[in-house]
């Protein structure tokens, strides 16, 4: 095996391992929030996605190697955050005729996610 192949294999193994950690953490955070907030609004997913946006913004403000960015950003944060669950929960709110909550989930997630990413990126750039 060449050095490049070993590096590629190590990166793929890292993606699998770190992605697994991110997805487990997403589950833990979502459940912890859901236990504390007994509402039909998906606060657990909101907390996960906003904190993930902040983390990704922070990582984007750092100078990382291509491999480090892949492992931290794509593997960990990509597995931690969840667009599909956000959309499914929004669609279910609509089905349940909770249109205000569905619209609020979209607007709040986008506005807070963008603000969190920009703020965290700004902080990282100052380090």
């Amino acid at each position: 095996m060449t050095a490049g192949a070993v590096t590629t294999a190590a990166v793929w193994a890292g993606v699998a391992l770190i992605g697994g950690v991110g997805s487990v953490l997403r589950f833990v955070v979502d459940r912890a929030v859901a236990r504390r907030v007994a509402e039909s609004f998906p606060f657990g997913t909101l907390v996960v996605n906003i904190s993930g946006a902040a983390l990704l913004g922070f990582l984007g403000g750092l100078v990382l190697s291509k491999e480090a960015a892949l492992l931290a950003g794509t593997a960990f944060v990509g597995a931690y955050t969840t667009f599909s669950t956000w959309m499914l929960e929004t669609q279910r709110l609509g089905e349940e005729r909770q249109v205000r909550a569905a619209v609020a989930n979209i607007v709040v997630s986008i506005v807070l996610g963008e603000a969190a990413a920009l703020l965290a990126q700004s902080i990282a750039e100052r380090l």
Side-chain angles (χ1 to χ4, degrees):
M1 235 186 226
T2 67
V6 171
T7 301
T8 301
V11 169
W12 277 103
V15 167
L17 179 66
I18 293 169
V21 171
S23 64
V24 169
L25 185 59
R26 173 182 64 207
F27 179 79
V28 169
V29 170
D30 180 62
R31 292 296 133 219
V33 172
R35 277 194 306 272
R36 288 170 177 74
V37 182
E39 302 264 342
S40 62
F41 190 84
F43 284 106
T45 301
L46 180 66
V47 168
V48 164
N49 286 341
I50 301 308
S51 61
L55 180 55
L56 194 56
F58 185 82
L59 293 170
L62 300 175
V63 179
L64 299 176
S65 69
K66 183 177 143 183
E67 289 81 11
L70 174 71
L71 292 172
T74 303
F76 180 78
V77 180
Y80 174 67
T81 58
T82 175
F83 180 81
S84 56
T85 300
W86 173 51
M87 286 293 98
L88 179 62
E89 290 170 343
T90 302
Q91 185 253 339
R92 286 187 178 159
L93 288 169
E95 284 179 350
E96 295 168 359
R97 307 276 192 254
Q98 297 182 50
V99 176
R100 285 184 183 176
V103 171
N105 194 32
I106 293 168
V107 172
V108 168
S109 293
I110 291 170
V111 170
L112 290 181
E114 185 68 21
L118 288 171
L119 178 62
Q121 181 179 6
S122 176
I123 290 168
E125 288 171 348
R126 287 182 171 85
L127 296 178

